[in-house]
Amino acid sequence: MSSPWLSQAWKQLSHQLNEDSFPQSLLLRGEKGLGKLQLAKFVAKTILCSEQKHQACNQCHSCQLVRSGAHGSLFLLEQEKPKVDDIRALSLWANQTSSFGSSKVAIISDISLLNSASNNALLKTLEEPVASTHFILINHLPFKAMPTILSRCQVLSLSTPEQNWVKQWLVKQKVRVDENFALIYRFCNGSPIQVKEFYREQQFSQLEQFIHQYQLMVDAKPNKLADLIHKQASCLQWLGHCLTLSFSLTKGLAAEGDFPQFAVTNTTDKTIDLAYQDWLNLVKQTEEYPGLNVGQQLYPLFARFKD
């Protein structure tokens, strides 16, 4: 594995593959940006490898087909909004005989994007397993897979690397870490890859601007937060981090000296908590309705700070 923070998870999965105890359905859970899809693809390549079963050899014909995206025994579903027909196509594929050996692997890159009809179709597929066909499902936090889906899978939760570990890894990657690292680490969900990209793209001035607009919003002052989020979808995730840090400070769960810009004086922890629930609901809506005008949907959240 090229991502060292996935080594422990890979060690467990490699052992199961080597012992022929790999589950028919595996669900990988964790924050976005930890490399869950990368891990899923490597596991799939190993399952389909014709030379060894504990780790893909990367040399055989099967491994080369996986690398080129042309392996008929690998089904990868990573549409932005999968439809029930996509799951039915997956089910049809799963019931077909493999032309590249005995095993097949299907990967769904984000099951939180599935609607109720798609979830039901997937559940039916998982409940009627086909011999030698494996399913690897990916679930990004904070959203949880349906309990019925979870019950059909072995769940492997991927932990976020510790802050000091990420800092050491960045130094090895020749990234210049500065005094803003703790804040950047939080806003990148602890993902080493995201933190590295954040520094390389010099996004901190943009984050500072966003935090300033957040402070104005919390103080019920005119702000440009809705415009910023409407223009850049990733800023919606930043809003979630702002609310989380403010809530942590009001409850004494974080030291004010670490994140003073998120301290609030004119509102309560209950208001922050309700606003965070609004944010969670809005994120879910954006996944179900990609064309949603996020800026307009934010005003009920903003209104909580004006009461």
Side-chain angles (χ1 to χ4, degrees):
M1 289 298 300
S2 59
S3 302
W5 56 90
L6 296 176
S7 60
Q8 189 60 39
W10 166 245
K11 183 179 180 180
Q12 175 183 330
L13 296 174
S14 177
H15 176 75
Q16 289 180 295
L17 289 166
N18 196 47
E19 297 295 321
D20 293 322
S21 60
F22 191 81
Q24 188 141 31
S25 299
L26 171 70
L27 188 140
L28 300 174
R29 296 186 65 195
E31 295 285 354
K32 283 188 176 181
L34 290 180
K36 294 186 292 298
L37 182 58
Q38 173 196 2
L39 177 60
K41 289 180 177 179
F42 192 74
V43 170
K45 184 190 289 187
T46 300
I47 291 173
L48 299 174
C49 180
S50 59
E51 294 299 320
Q52 53 192 29
K53 60 182 181 180
H54 69 286
Q55 181 168 319
C57 71
N58 291 318
Q59 301 296 325
C60 69
H61 182 56
S62 180
C63 285
Q64 292 174 4
L65 286 174
V66 171
R67 187 185 304 117
S68 66
H71 203 302
S73 292
L74 175 60
F75 190 106
L76 180 59
L77 183 61
E78 50 184 346
Q79 286 94 322
E80 290 187 1
K81 189 177 180 183
K83 300 178 181 178
V84 65
D85 287 343
D86 296 316
I87 303 300
R88 287 171 179 159
L90 167 60
S91 180
L92 181 64
W93 170 88
N95 283 282
Q96 295 174 346
T97 302
S98 172
S99 57
F100 294 88
S102 60
S103 297
K104 295 191 295 182
V105 186
I107 298 174
I108 300 181
S109 65
D110 187 356
I111 60 172
S112 69
L113 299 178
L114 301 180
N115 58 28
S116 58
S118 299
N119 267 306
N120 289 333
L122 175 60
L123 179 61
K124 184 177 180 181
T125 301
L126 297 179
E127 287 177 335
E128 301 172 355
V130 180
S132 300
T133 298
H134 299 275
F135 297 88
I136 305 177
L137 315 179
I138 296 173
N139 183 202
H140 300 306
L141 297 176
F143 300 107
K144 295 182 180 179
M146 288 180 60
T148 48
I149 299 293
L150 283 170
S151 68
R152 296 292 173 181
C153 302
Q154 173 188 306
V155 179
L156 178 59
S157 296
L158 303 182
S159 301
T160 301
E162 292 289 339
Q163 189 169 308
N164 287 336
W165 190 99
V166 175
K167 182 182 289 187
Q168 293 172 11
W169 180 79
L170 290 169
V171 171
K172 292 179 181 178
Q173 298 293 309
K174 303 189 184 304
V175 176
R176 183 174 295 177
V177 179
D178 58 20
E179 68 278 5
N180 300 310
F181 171 73
L183 184 63
I184 293 171
Y185 172 87
R186 290 292 294 263
F187 275 75
C188 291
N189 299 313
S191 163
I193 296 173
Q194 288 190 35
V195 176
K196 181 179 179 181
E197 292 176 352
F198 191 100
Y199 273 111
R200 292 293 170 94
E201 296 174 8
Q202 300 181 344
Q203 298 181 49
F204 191 72
S205 60
Q206 181 184 354
L207 178 57
E208 279 188 311
Q209 178 190 9
F210 185 88
I211 293 172
H212 175 63
Q213 297 302 318
Y214 169 77
Q215 293 167 334
L216 293 175
M217 184 272 291
V218 170
D219 290 335
K221 296 178 180 179
N223 61 82
K224 299 178 181 178
L225 208 57
D227 291 337
L228 292 175
I229 294 174
H230 179 69
K231 292 176 182 177
Q232 185 171 335
S234 62
C235 285
L236 182 59
Q237 296 298 323
W238 286 1
L239 177 59
H241 287 296
C242 290
L243 291 167
T244 300
L245 285 169
S246 290
F247 183 79
S248 297
L249 289 170
T250 60
K251 300 295 285 185
L253 301 174
E256 187 171 330
D258 293 336
F259 304 105
Q261 58 270 66
F262 299 101
V264 294
T265 57
N266 300 324
T267 190
T268 65
D269 58 337
K270 181 178 180 181
T271 299
I272 297 290
D273 185 40
L274 290 172
Y276 182 77
Q277 296 305 316
D278 290 340
W279 173 81
L280 274 178
N281 292 333
L282 179 54
V283 172
K284 190 64 177 178
Q285 288 180 49
T286 62
E287 293 182 346
E288 294 178 358
Y289 308 103
L292 189 70
N293 187 323
V294 178
Q296 289 182 356
Q297 300 299 319
L298 282 167
Y299 289 104
L301 186 156
F302 295 167
R304 293 195 181 277
F305 298 92
K306 297 179 181 180
D307 298 335

